[in-house]
């Protein structure tokens, strides 16, 4: 077990090296003048361009440049973001909690809903529940996130006025920025509880509903399909038939015997779901004006704010690599057969 | 002279006339027709192919570049469906009917280009990697690992940010995101096929590697690639539309569904008495892209059902 995890951890630096190398090679597609201009924060520096080129080793061979760039990145120096008007690392720290909160609630909803619907649909194969959940899931896979999000906004914000876009209402936003409010975690729903502000919790939840619903709908679609087919396979297994033959109630067989084993392949695919979630987060944040990393990254790429785009790419790749690592470790914990290989 | 007795495999008394076996093609068609959803998918795709091919007749181009939607004036408010604009207009008066029709054409152009690029790269890198193995295989696989360490859309966003915003660069970005999947799949298929007896036989006869790959291996590995491509067509169009929606793909006025949807972003709120006043700005391009992707998903599932019996019945 620990050897398996150690081996996965040993691979981590190599993956990180590859990921940074890819980002660095993408940056090489910029013209040399553009790359030099990334280090200019003040128009007065334009005369000092040759100095800047020398200082940041832009006249050196590529591998020297990569090494110098990597050293800066490892020191947390990602440059200045023009769109956020602060250093990239500070900006990431500021935007991350919003993205994390959105992803956290969505992932929880996705897991609960997807596994429940997938099991239900497998147990009631070819009944009405199955058809309903299958058609929902296939339409969920065909509907782009942004169309679905905009439709939700049109109905529940435009028509009913229940769930506004953004992360907080005006009053709540002012209150959060005031000294009366202590940001403990950066997650507004939890901070509101810790501060004992019920109205703030209510406001934060109201803003969370639509983006979470959007992300949940289209990623649950994938999870339902995976769970269903894995469950169908497991329900045909010998030990399930044995359990039923012994006279165990159907519910116990499904919950205790079948589902636990059916979820093993689902864990491997959790990495895949996580990728979908991260891509979806970028679009969802843009649709709902959610002040997270995704929306910031998109604005930055529209406005050629390359240091911000680099930071955005690094943080998302990092989240994905860590997510996959968690899935692998969880897989080994759940399924002893993997550890022995 | 005695007649040679041919041992009969047919049991005595069984009818000697062999039953007509349905050909592989007939069986495929029959299996396809059994599932109404597959037929629906095929109908949707045929419809979109027709629209894409007949686009110049259905919506007569006025601009020099037919993919740019003609517009009269720059009035900011969208106009509802009416004479001259059967499906209404977006903000800045881009005609939604024209955009929907030519959007079908640009969707096919994008999807086929990206799939073509993906398959071309896969055929070169995947075949080298799967057929020869060794250090080539190791290098190619590690490079695909790195590309797959990025969520697809985020990598595409970064590439567009570096290359600059245009429809062509968005296509390049999506192709860069797509190739690792195709390459890995083709490599796995090559690994399966390269030790088959007929390949060994060809090798023993001294056939050159290039010939073995082209004549014997590729024809036996291409079906999974076709399934993947058909399942991927919708996803590619969604990704391209997403880039356009984020303001990183097609420029305003380009006949692309995602771009039209981004023009509706400001109009999800109607006026006080009529909350759905601007429904057409979202629904026209939204329904178009939904049907297109749904068609490909249904068709891809049907192909998977037909060619891969293990997956049958798993939607």
């Amino acid at each position: 077990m620990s050897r398996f995890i150690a081996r996965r951890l040993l691979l981590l630096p190599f993956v990180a090296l590859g990921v940074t190398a890819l980002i660095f090679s993408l940056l090489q597609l910029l013209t040399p003048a553009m790359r030099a201009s990334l280090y200019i924060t003040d128009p007065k520096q334009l005369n000092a361009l040759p100095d800047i080129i020398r200082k940041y080793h832009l006249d050196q061979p590529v591998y020297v440049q990569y090494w110098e760039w990597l050293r800066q990145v490892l020191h947390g120096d990602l440059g200045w973001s023009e769109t956020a008007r602060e250093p990239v690392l500070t900006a990431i720290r500021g935007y991350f909690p919003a993205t994390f909160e959105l992803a956290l609630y969505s992932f929880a909803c996705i897991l609960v809903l997807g596994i429940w619907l997938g099991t239900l649909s497998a147990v009631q194969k070819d009944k009405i529940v199955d058809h309903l959940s299958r058609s929902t899931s296939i339409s969920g896979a065909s509907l782009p996130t942004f169309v679905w999000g905009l439709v939700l906004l049109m109905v529940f914000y435009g028509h009913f006025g229940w769930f506004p876009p953004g992360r907080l209402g005006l009053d709540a936003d002012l209150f959060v920025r005031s000294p009366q409010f202590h940001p403990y975690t950066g997650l507004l729903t939890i901070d509101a509880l810790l501060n004992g502000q019920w109205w703030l919790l209510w406001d934060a939840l109201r803003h969370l509903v639509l983006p979470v619903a959007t992300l949940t709908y289209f990623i649950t679609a994938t999870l339902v399909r995976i769970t269903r087919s894995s469950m169908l396979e497991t329900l045909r297994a010998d030990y399930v038939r044995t359990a039923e033959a012994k006279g165990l109630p159907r519910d116990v067989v499904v919950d205790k015997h079948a589902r636990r084993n059916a979820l093993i392949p689902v864990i491997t695919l959790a990495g895949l779901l996580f990728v979908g979630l991260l891509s979806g987060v970028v679009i969802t944040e843009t649709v709902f004006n959610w002040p997270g990393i995704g929306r910031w990254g998109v604005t930055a790429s529209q406005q050629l704010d390359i240091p911000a785009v680099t930071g955005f790419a690094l943080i998302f790749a990092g989240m994905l690599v860590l997510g996959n690592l968690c899935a692998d470790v969880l897989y080994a914990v759940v399924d002893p057969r993997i550890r022995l290989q | 002279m005695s007649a040679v007795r041919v041992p009969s495999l047919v049991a005595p008394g069984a009818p000697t006339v062999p039953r007509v076996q349905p050909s592989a093609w007939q069986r495929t068609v029959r299996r396809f027709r059994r599932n109404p959803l597959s037929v629906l998918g095929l109908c949707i795709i045929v419809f979109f192919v027709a629209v894409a091919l007949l686009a110049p007749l259905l919506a007569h181009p006025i601009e020099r570049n037919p993919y740019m939607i003609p517009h009269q004036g720059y009035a900011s408010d969208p106009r509802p469906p009416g004479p001259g604009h059967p499906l209404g207009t977006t903000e800045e008066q881009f005609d939604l009917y024209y955009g929907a029709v030519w959007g079908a054409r640009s969707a096919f152009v994008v999807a086929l280009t990206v799939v073509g690029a993906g398959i071309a790269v896969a055929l070169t890198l995947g075949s080298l990697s799967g057929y020869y193995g060794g250090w080539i295989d190791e290098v190619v696989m590690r490079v695909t690992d790195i590309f797959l360490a990025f969520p697809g859309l985020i990598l595409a966003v970064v590439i567009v940010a570096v290359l600059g915003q245009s429809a062509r660069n968005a296509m390049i970005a999506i192709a860069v995101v797509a190739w690792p999947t195709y390459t890995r799949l083709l490599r796995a298929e090559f690994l399966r096929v390269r030790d088959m007896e007929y390949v060994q036989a060809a090798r023993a006869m001294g056939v050159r590697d290039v010939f073995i790959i082209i004549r014997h291996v590729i024809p036996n590995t291409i079906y999974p690639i076709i399934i993947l491509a058909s399942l991927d067509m919708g996803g590619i169009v969604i990704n391209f539309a997403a880039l356009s929606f984020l303001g990183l793909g097609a420029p305003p006025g380009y006949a692309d569904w995602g771009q039209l949807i981004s023009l509706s972003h400001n109009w999800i709120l109607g006026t006080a008495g009529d909350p759905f006043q601007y429904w057409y700005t979202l629904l026209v391009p939204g329904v178009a892209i939904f049907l297109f992707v749904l068609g490909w998903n249904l068709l891809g599932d049907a192909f998977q059902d037909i060619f891969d019996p293990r997956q049958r019945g798993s939607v």
Side-chain angles (χ1 to χ4, degrees):
Chain A
M1 181 69 186
S2 48
R3 265 182 63 193
F4 175 80
I5 295 176
R7 213 167 49 208
R8 282 298 274 109
L9 284 176
L10 270 180
L11 274 176
L12 213 53
F14 293 101
V15 177
L17 203 67
V19 166
T20 49
L22 178 58
I23 294 179
F24 181 76
S25 13
L26 286 177
L27 292 179
Q28 299 304 305
L29 293 172
L30 295 169
T31 60
M34 279 172 89
R35 274 190 293 140
S37 71
L38 295 182
Y39 296 101
I40 295 179
T41 45
D42 185 351
K44 284 179 202 140
Q45 286 175 306
L46 276 176
N47 296 325
L49 209 53
D51 292 335
I52 286 175
I53 289 175
R54 219 165 302 127
K55 185 180 167 202
Y56 291 100
H57 308 277
L58 297 182
D59 51 352
Q60 303 278 323
V62 173
Y63 57 89
V64 179
Q65 285 190 41
Y66 172 60
W67 181 243
E68 292 299 326
W69 178 81
L70 193 63
R71 238 178 39 182
Q72 282 176 34
V73 169
L74 289 178
H75 281 102
D77 177 15
L78 290 164
W80 176 268
S81 163
E82 200 51 47
T83 38
R85 303 214 155 272
E86 53 191 350
V88 172
L89 204 65
T90 322
I92 289 178
R93 237 178 253 146
Y95 289 121
F96 185 76
T99 301
F100 185 67
E101 191 171 34
L102 181 59
L104 191 71
Y105 283 100
S106 308
F107 208 53
C109 290
I110 290 163
L111 285 184
V112 171
L113 206 65
I115 291 172
W116 178 63
L117 275 181
T119 318
L120 199 66
S121 161
V123 173
Q124 313 238 358
K125 186 169 183 283
D126 292 330
K127 301 250 175 66
I128 188 115
V129 181
D130 184 29
H131 289 308
L132 259 172
S133 96
R134 281 167 78 186
S135 47
T136 323
S137 88
I138 203 164
S139 56
S142 308
L143 199 59
T145 337
F146 42 96
V147 176
W148 176 238
L150 287 174
V151 168
L152 284 183
L153 263 184
M154 209 176 223
V155 175
F156 292 101
Y157 176 50
H159 183 63
F160 292 110
W162 292 343
F163 307 119
R167 198 179 176 206
L168 282 177
L170 211 55
D171 299 349
D173 198 44
L174 283 175
F175 180 75
V176 167
R177 286 163 199 275
S178 72
Q180 289 160 281
F181 181 80
H182 270 282
Y184 295 99
T185 58
L187 307 181
L188 283 176
T189 43
I190 295 172
D191 282 352
L193 272 181
L194 292 177
N195 280 282
Q197 302 288 342
W198 291 101
W199 66 279
L200 193 65
L201 176 69
W202 172 242
D203 193 67
L205 285 178
R206 234 161 68 106
H207 286 83
L208 263 170
V209 170
L210 286 190
V212 168
T214 306
L215 279 172
T216 305
Y217 177 50
F218 94 110
I219 296 177
T220 306
T222 325
L223 185 59
V224 168
R225 287 166 66 140
I226 299 167
T227 314
R228 179 177 180 275
S229 61
S230 169
M231 209 39 204
L232 280 179
E233 210 159 286
T234 316
L235 282 175
R236 281 196 293 262
D238 287 340
Y239 60 84
V240 171
R241 204 177 317 134
T242 311
E244 278 185 339
K246 286 196 302 187
L248 277 178
R250 179 83 174 154
D251 289 351
V252 177
V253 177
V254 169
D255 286 345
K256 292 266 155 74
H257 292 75
R259 179 153 50 194
R260 287 189 181 179
N261 283 295
L263 284 186
I264 293 173
V266 174
I267 292 173
T268 8
L269 289 160
L272 198 79
L273 294 181
F274 200 62
V275 181
L277 187 67
L278 290 183
S279 292
V281 159
V282 176
I283 299 171
T284 312
E285 285 183 358
T286 310
V287 172
F288 293 99
N289 281 334
W290 189 263
I293 293 186
R295 199 181 62 141
W296 169 62
V298 167
T299 321
S301 11
Q302 285 169 354
Q303 302 180 359
L304 278 178
D305 182 1
I306 300 296
V309 174
T310 314
F312 160 77
L314 279 173
I315 191 89
F316 269 96
M319 282 197 275
L320 180 59
V321 170
L322 284 183
N324 278 335
L325 183 73
C326 290
D328 276 358
V329 170
L330 202 61
Y331 191 41
V333 170
V334 174
D335 191 349
R337 284 169 294 184
I338 300 299
R339 275 176 263 163
L340 295 174
Q341 276 171 15
Chain B
M1 196 175 103
S2 64
V4 179
R5 284 182 62 108
V6 179
S8 169
L9 291 173
V10 183
T16 44
V17 183
R19 269 198 302 160
V20 182
Q21 284 285 319
S23 70
W25 173 246
Q26 282 170 320
R27 257 178 299 159
T28 306
V29 170
R30 192 178 300 164
R31 213 179 276 167
F32 190 85
R33 276 171 42 186
R34 206 181 299 152
N35 188 350
L37 284 179
S38 321
V39 180
L40 178 68
L42 186 69
C43 290
I44 295 175
I45 296 308
V46 167
F47 170 74
F48 274 109
V49 170
V51 170
L53 288 177
L54 299 177
L57 298 176
L58 292 170
H60 190 66
I62 300 169
E63 309 271 327
R64 235 173 67 204
N65 178 358
Y67 288 104
M68 293 310 284
I69 306 172
H71 63 135
Q72 294 160 339
Y74 289 92
S76 65
D77 287 24
R79 295 216 186 105
H85 300 293
L87 296 175
T89 62
T90 64
E91 63 182 30
E92 298 187 2
Q93 306 309 315
F94 294 112
D95 184 40
L96 276 166
Y97 171 73
Y98 190 94
V101 169
W102 281 83
R105 201 175 236 215
S106 65
F108 274 107
V109 169
V110 168
L112 291 175
T113 313
V114 171
V115 165
I119 292 180
V121 174
L123 282 179
T124 16
L125 287 183
S127 57
L128 282 178
S129 161
Y131 191 80
Y132 291 108
W135 65 269
I136 304 181
D137 186 32
E138 198 60 30
V139 169
V140 171
M141 283 304 103
R142 293 297 79 79
V143 172
T144 57
D145 276 348
I146 291 166
F147 275 83
L148 291 172
F150 280 92
L153 189 70
I154 279 117
L155 185 58
V157 165
V158 175
I159 294 171
V160 173
V162 172
L163 290 180
Q165 295 144 27
S166 71
R168 193 197 58 166
N169 288 346
M171 256 192 276
I172 294 176
I174 292 167
V176 170
V177 171
W179 73 268
T181 323
Y182 288 84
T183 306
R184 290 185 84 105
L185 181 68
L186 199 76
R187 168 192 174 262
E189 285 298 310
F190 258 73
L191 282 181
R192 185 177 62 82
V193 170
R194 73 161 183 205
D195 292 326
M196 294 261 175
E197 277 160 5
Y198 56 86
V199 176
Q200 283 176 351
R203 211 178 286 147
M205 284 162 68
V207 182
R208 276 192 300 158
D209 281 354
V210 182
F211 262 74
I212 297 182
I213 290 177
I214 293 175
R215 290 290 302 279
H216 300 290
V217 185
I218 288 180
N220 286 296
T221 54
I222 206 72
Y223 276 119
I225 292 277
I226 292 176
I227 296 175
L228 176 68
S230 64
L231 279 170
D232 211 19
M233 291 283 283
I236 290 167
V237 169
I238 286 192
N239 273 341
F240 186 79
L243 282 181
S244 297
F245 174 77
L246 297 174
L248 295 168
Y254 192 88
D256 169 68
W257 296 325
Q259 190 278 130
L260 287 175
I261 292 165
S262 84
L263 288 181
S264 79
H265 202 164
N266 291 329
W267 303 97
I268 45 168
L269 288 184
T271 44
D274 186 6
F276 298 125
Q277 193 185 349
Y278 302 111
W279 58 272
Y280 45 89
T281 56
L282 173 59
L283 277 202
V284 171
V287 167
I289 194 169
F290 171 65
L291 285 179
F292 186 88
V293 178
L294 182 71
W296 279 110
N297 281 350
L298 292 175
L299 206 61
D301 274 343
F303 283 155
Q304 200 165 33
D305 266 10
I306 291 167
F307 293 125
D308 185 4
R310 272 171 310 168
Q311 290 289 321
R312 204 166 296 157
S314 67
V315 184

